[in-house]
Amino acid sequence: MTTNQPWWRGAVIYQVYPRSFFDANNDGIGDLAGVTHKMDYIANLGVDAIWLSPFFTSPMKDFGYDVSNYCDVDPIFGKLDDFDQLIQAAHEHGLKVIIDQVLNHSSDQHPWFIESRQSHDNDKADWYIWADAQADGTVPNNWLSVFGGPAWHWDSRRRQYYLHNFLDSQPDLNFHNPAVVDALLETVEFWLKRGVDGFRLDTANYYYHDLELRNNPPKEEVVEGSIGVRLDNPYAYQLHLYDKSRPENIAFLQRLRQLLNQYPGTTTVGEVGCDFSLKTMADYTQGNDKLHMCYSFDLLTHDNSMQHIRDTMETIENGLGDGWPCWSIGNHDVERVATRWGKNQDNIAKSKIYMLMLLSLRGSVCLYQGEELALTEAELNFEELVDPFGIAFWPEFKGRDGCRTPMPWDTNEQAGFSQQSSLWLPVPTQHYPLAVNNQEQDPNSCLNAYRDFLAFRKNRLALKVGDITFLFNDEHRLIFIRRYQDQSCLIAINTSQDEFQHPSQHDLKAIELPNSLPVGKIEAGLIILPAYSVVIADLIE
């Protein structure tokens, strides 16, 4: 069976958070040379690409998502030569490299903002979003920052407010200014010329704002969900109609796509945090002229019911057309899935079954470093926190540090991450037994289950790019069919600790899966699923 699908459709992308992956120069912080050093490990997982979280020059107020030079490497991560060596090593291993692009906002230390804030009439005066105070000196409107409080910060030089959707040290760029768009696209092309294979676009729906600065209305129903914030954050209480997801964004995404089309084989995956995330994902990926893929926060919440999974998939499929989704159940912004969904119980079994579910759904997939080890969320003391988001919302929300602690490579001091005695974040004691070297020696480990299923999936085009049809679900079980050309397979998932049986309406032939995977069986017309198990079967049609 052949396919002319582009490489990124159905691809598995491994997210590397460089600060926490491997410390090659032993200063307590991971670096680009550390990623290159561990390239064999990444390739042996069986993934298709690496997504590198930001490594650009930055004051690190938000750990690289506050960029002060878009075209250089921050010294803590190395030099441009280190990046070039990483690209070369990845390509030699058959891996694509996708890098983060943080275009919505810069650091307040970026030369563009330093100039912009000096006066009302300099060359960069309108490169950021400036607005006068109301008559009583208060902020221009009711827009809020994701990180808490108003999205406006007073600048005494200009005697105006500037917009910041995140930290006040992350001023939003003004995409309504064509010169800003031109300058940003030049920085994107800088990395294309260095050989990157694509970009993960941070906050891809935030680029444009309402020029009239209209107030956002209140949200009628306040729920945790697609905008990626918790209910203890006031940001969740607005319907974000005017501060993001604006219609003007489409034209920019089309122009970005035109640039990437000049570099065949490259791709984009956009992060969409939106009140209408699934519709926005469809809008941004339809027509083959905007983004290649998008992912949302819909599977990054605490709702791990199979009803929620099915509802999310069917909603996106009904409006997707020729667009393409990307799914993730964990990343550098959310509590680790072994804790968030697994509740720190039956970690290995649950981590395996959630992986099997994720990698069997329709779409590309992002895996976050450490998921393959079944790492749980690290419990840190307030004094150990470095994330400004967590510091601001402590103790109800402990921030993102717990999912960003260093990778445990072995059971030696500092888990083999570094020879430095003081790390930027500590390695949790409970992660040492889950170290890579321990799991490599256990054929039934979570790590080997990931490797085995990723290898199995590569040869199953129905699982990579096929259509999807759901047959059954309850709270803990999900049964669906994937079809591509003349290949059809049924996938039955049980995420519960209880055995489950379900009559099959199809003639099925169970596919033999690797021993590291928890497998059920088909017997006398019944799909029999023990605790935390899967059945994958060919349909006999």
Side-chain angles (χ1 to χ4, degrees), residues 320-335:
L320 192 60
D322 62 353
W324 191 254
C326 186
W327 301 110
S328 174
I329 58 175
N331 67 20
H332 64 292
D333 280 334
V334 297
E335 190 177 33

Side-chain angles (χ1 to χ4, degrees), residues 462-514:
L463 287 178
K464 290 187 67 175
V465 295
D467 296 333
I468 191 167
T469 304
F470 289 91
L471 303 179
F472 170 85
N473 75 278
D474 61 16
E475 188 76 3
H476 301 291
R477 293 94 180 183
L478 188 64
I479 302 176
F480 53 96
I481 292 173
R482 300 291 309 275
R483 286 189 174 93
Y484 182 76
Q485 295 182 1
D486 60 351
Q487 186 184 99
S488 299
C489 61
L490 177 142
I491 299 96
I493 302 277
N494 180 13
T495 66
S496 163
Q497 63 183 351
D498 300 318
E499 181 176 300
F500 176 71
Q501 298 185 5
H502 188 76
S504 172
Q505 305 300 316
H506 301 81
D507 289 333
L508 301 173
K509 180 183 178 182
I511 299 170
E512 186 175 350
L513 295 175

Side-chain angles (χ1 to χ4, degrees), residues 56-59 66-72 105-119 122-128 130 157-158 169 171 173 180 183-184 187:
F56 315 107
T57 311
S58 168
D66 50 326
V67 179
S68 56
N69 185 344
Y70 284 99
C71 297
D72 205 354
H105 49 267
S106 75
S107 164
D108 61 359
Q109 301 303 306
H110 196 291
W112 297 343
F113 187 73
I114 291 172
E115 181 176 354
S116 184
R117 75 191 316 179
Q118 295 304 317
S119 67
N122 64 75
D123 289 343
K124 301 290 191 296
D126 59 350
W127 278 44
Y128 293 82
W130 296 93
R157 300 170 185 83
R158 289 184 52 145
S169 57
L173 283 149
V180 171
L184 287 171
T187 70

Side-chain angles (χ1 to χ4, degrees), residues 3-299:
T3 175
N4 57 359
Q5 301 281 350
W7 71 264
W8 47 267
R9 277 195 175 240
V12 179
I13 303 164
Y14 185 73
Q15 182 191 354
V16 173
Y17 193 72
R19 293 182 74 95
S20 297
F21 199 61
F22 183 72
D23 177 16
N25 68 352
N26 293 309
D27 65 353
I29 301 172
D31 41 48
L32 294 182
V35 180
T36 303
H37 183 76
K38 294 293 186 181
M39 199 65 70
D40 282 347
Y41 171 81
I42 300 171
N44 288 337
L45 277 175
V47 298
D48 302 291
I50 305 168
W51 152 24
L52 285 176
S53 292
F55 52 82
F56 315 107
T57 311
S58 168
M60 299 293 165
K61 297 288 181 62
D62 191 24
F63 298 98
Y65 285 92
D66 50 326
V67 179
S68 56
N69 185 344
Y70 284 99
C71 297
D72 205 354
V73 174
D74 193 275
I76 69 168
F77 295 122
K79 301 178 180 178
L80 276 171
D81 285 348
D82 295 306
F83 179 79
D84 294 338
Q85 291 170 25
L86 187 156
I87 288 276
Q88 181 180 348
H91 288 168
E92 288 173 353
H93 282 80
L95 294 166
K96 307 287 188 181
V97 177
I98 294 170
I99 66 171
D100 243 307
Q101 288 289 277
V102 190
L103 305 181
N104 174 71
H105 49 267
S106 75
S107 164
D108 61 359
Q109 301 303 306
H110 196 291
W112 297 343
F113 187 73
I114 291 172
E115 181 176 354
S116 184
R117 75 191 316 179
Q118 295 304 317
S119 67
H120 290 255
D121 56 2
N122 64 75
D123 289 343
K124 301 290 191 296
D126 59 350
W127 278 44
Y128 293 82
I129 300 164
W130 296 93
D132 292 330
Q134 297 191 54
D136 61 358
T138 54
V139 294
N141 62 19
N142 74 345
W143 296 354
L144 296 172
S145 162
V146 175
F147 287 175
W152 298 96
H153 189 78
W154 179 254
D155 186 85
S156 57
R157 300 170 185 83
R158 289 184 52 145
R159 298 181 184 178
Q160 284 183 304
Y161 287 98
Y162 64 82
L163 181 69
H164 61 93
N165 271 296
F166 298 91
L167 295 175
D168 60 18
S169 57
Q170 295 171 295
D172 277 38
L173 283 149
N174 181 15
F175 276 70
H176 290 285
N177 183 339
V180 171
V181 173
D182 290 345
L184 287 171
L185 290 178
E186 286 178 10
T187 70
V188 171
E189 189 163 22
F190 173 86
W191 296 104
L192 287 168
K193 289 177 177 177
R194 294 196 96 87
V196 302
D197 302 291
F199 303 100
R200 179 264 186 184
L201 299 169
D202 186 61
T203 61
N205 59 306
Y206 280 72
Y207 298 149
Y208 284 82
H209 68 288
D210 176 46
L211 286 172
E212 298 179 35
L213 303 183
R214 286 173 284 187
N215 284 331
N216 285 325
K219 200 168 185 181
E220 291 184 6
E221 183 182 7
V222 181
V223 294
E224 182 197 34
S226 56
I227 61 172
V229 296
R230 294 159 47 96
L231 300 185
D232 51 22
N233 187 336
Y235 191 85
Y237 290 75
Q238 288 187 358
L239 186 62
H240 294 272
L241 297 181
Y242 299 114
D243 51 347
K244 62 181 181 181
S245 304
R246 301 296 297 160
E248 300 94 325
N249 213 32
I250 295 291
F252 169 74
L253 299 180
Q254 289 171 328
R255 187 168 169 199
L256 176 67
R257 179 62 173 264
Q258 290 168 7
L259 172 59
L260 266 77
N261 286 345
Q262 298 173 34
Y263 295 83
T266 55
T267 193
T268 51
V269 53
E271 176 195 41
V272 173
C274 177
D275 292 297
F276 318 100
S277 59
L278 299 179
K279 180 182 185 304
T280 302
M281 284 173 64
D283 291 345
Y284 284 8
T285 61
Q286 288 174 347
N288 199 34
D289 66 344
K290 297 176 283 293
L291 299 182
H292 302 76
M293 305 175 277
C294 281
Y295 78 87
S296 72
F297 288 84
D298 290 84
L299 301 190

